[in-house]
Structure formats: structure tokens, C-alpha cells
Amino acid sequence: MKFSIITLFPDMLSGPLEISMLKKARDNGLVDIEVINLREFGVGSGKQVDDTPYGGGDGMLLKPEPVVNAIEHTKSQQQATDNSMVILLTPQGDSYTQATARQLSGESHIILVCGHYEGFDERIRAFVDWQISIGDYVLTGGEIPAMAVVDSVTRLLPGVLGGERSAVDDSFADGETLEYPQYTRPNQFRGMEVPDVLLSGNHGEIDQWRQAQARQRRRG
Ligand code: ADE
């Protein structure tokens, strides 16, 4: 699976993409993540990417040509068999959930378009397949939302989590059950103890306790 992230601020993404799980998944060839600098698609010798709004008002809007050219260029670089899904990160989009992440994990190529500052020319929306919001709050741009999508989808890809824990055990994996509580050493911390059952070595009882705890955390 491949992600292409179109952004004016590639440096915002380099840290998260080069650490921990995402780095390992990339190094192991489980996911391919490319970052595309929108500036390269800017208009004219100044590589202009934004402009003032028609009708007046504060701030600058992303121009349509650089964004649409970047999307089309990115699509043209893929193998003909790869179907690219284009997602625009915007607070006006559909709410992003674990179900969305699961759905996206079945795609072969996802292009994430990060908006920035005061917004973007309305006509850009006609060139995307899906508009997604990661919550009812406004960030300065789509980079952090894009990372939330990349991270939550990548960890669902086969082989990424590995080890004894799998994405199936997760909170939200079945849509409503939350995870059971977990503890590590020391077994006494500031007056709080680890439940006896977890120290018992009885795996049947431990499983039952965990299931009961997870059910108790069921929401609503
Ligand atoms: N861009 C700015 N805020 C956003 C949000 N909450 N979700 C997605 N993209 C955004």
C-alpha cells in the first residue's frame, strides 16, 4: 500500500515518518510513503501557491492549479493497475473513525492533500474522492490530520504490528469494546496495586478477568 502526501510543509512530516512503527513499516516494505512538495507545482517563476480571496477578506487561499497539477502528476506516476483514492483533509469533511481507517487499509494508493492557512479555492473539492475531518476543531493545516490517517491505517496493514498484540485486540476494533486495563512493574506504585489475578499465573482466569474488564469499559 502506498501513501502520497501533498503538502506545502514537508518538514512537518519528516519526524513522524522516520520514527518507530512508521519507520519500521517503511523499512520493511510494508508501506510506501512519499511526500510531495506542493511548492514544486507553484505557478510562475515565483512558484506561487496561494493568493488573496475574490470578494475580499483576510488571508490567502491555496490556488487550484498547483493542487490539481500535483494530484494529477502523482496519479500519473502510479502503475496503471493502481487505483488512486484522493483524500482532502478539511474540517468540513466526514468524521474520521476506526471504521474509516479499516476501510482505507484496503486501498492500494491514497493521495492525501493537506490544506493550509485560511483555506483553499473551492474548486479543488471537485478533484478529490473524499473529504475527511479528524475532529470538530480547526488546525493550521492538514499535515497533522494526514499523519493521523497514515499512522492509523499503517498499523492495520498485515505484518506491521507483529508480535503477540494485534490490531484485532484494540480499542474500537469491534466498534464499541474498549481495551482492558494493563499493568507492568512495579506491582506497588504510590499505594496502587496490580490486581491479584494478573499475578496469579492462571491464564484462564486472567483471560476471563480481561474480558469482563473490557465489557465494563464498553461505552454508552
Ligand atoms: N485541517 C484543519 N483542521 C482540520 C481537521 N480538524 N481535520 C482535517 N483537516 C483539517
Side-chain angles (χ1 to χ4, degrees):
M1 138 140 236
K2 177 172 179 180
F3 287 101
S4 302
I5 310 173
I6 298 174
T7 171
L8 253 186
F9 301 100
D11 289 350
M12 271 185 85
L13 305 174
S14 44
L17 291 178
E18 283 153 28
I19 293 174
S20 183
M21 198 94 87
L22 289 180
K23 175 179 167 37
K24 235 196 269 173
R26 298 174 80 190
D27 288 350
N28 293 337
L30 301 171
V31 66
D32 182 7
I33 306 173
E34 68 172 348
V35 178
I36 292 147
N37 190 343
L38 184 60
R39 182 68 62 185
E40 287 168 18
F41 296 87
V43 177
S45 56
K47 298 278 180 197
Q48 189 185 358
V49 293
D50 53 9
D51 209 338
T52 53
Y54 278 120
D58 288 338
M60 303 286 275
L61 305 182
L62 284 183
K63 293 166 70 62
E65 311 96 300
V67 175
V68 172
N69 287 341
I71 292 171
E72 289 176 348
H73 173 78
T74 306
K75 278 186 178 178
S76 74
Q77 300 296 99
Q78 310 315 308
Q79 299 187 346
T81 49
D82 270 355
N83 205 7
S84 303
M85 173 182 271
V86 183
I87 295 176
L88 175 67
L89 286 318
T90 162
Q92 291 100 36
D94 293 331
S95 296
Y96 189 68
T97 65
Q98 188 65 23
T100 326
R102 225 173 298 133
Q103 183 181 340
L104 294 182
S105 69
E107 294 290 325
S108 55
H109 181 221
I110 296 175
I111 300 175
L112 296 168
V113 181
C114 306
H116 228 271
Y117 296 137
E118 275 75 20
F120 43 81
D121 187 286
E122 188 64 21
R123 292 165 288 186
I124 289 171
R125 295 189 205 267
F127 295 85
V128 308
D129 302 307
W130 203 356
Q131 298 176 46
I132 284 181
S133 162
I134 62 158
D136 288 341
Y137 42 83
V138 182
L139 298 161
T140 54
E143 285 75 13
I144 289 171
M147 282 315 310
V149 171
V150 169
D151 188 288
S152 55
V153 172
T154 299
R155 64 187 290 292
L156 296 178
L157 299 177
V160 170
L161 286 190
E164 68 286 357
R165 291 200 65 196
S166 77
V168 181
D169 285 333
D170 279 351
S171 302
F172 308 117
D174 70 0
E176 52 179 325
T177 310
L178 296 170
E179 262 182 79
Y180 49 77
Q182 301 197 87
Y183 299 85
T184 184
R185 272 171 278 275
N187 68 16
Q188 289 250 15
F189 176 69
R190 302 205 179 177
M192 293 177 281
E193 289 187 5
V194 175
D196 284 342
V197 60
L198 297 180
L199 309 174
S200 69
N202 182 331
H203 290 286
E205 274 184 28
I206 291 172
D207 272 356
Q208 270 184 3
W209 180 86
R210 285 178 167 167
Q211 282 171 30
Q213 290 287 319
R215 275 195 302 276
Q216 259 179 39
R217 286 189 167 184
R218 199 178 288 265
R219 295 185 303 179

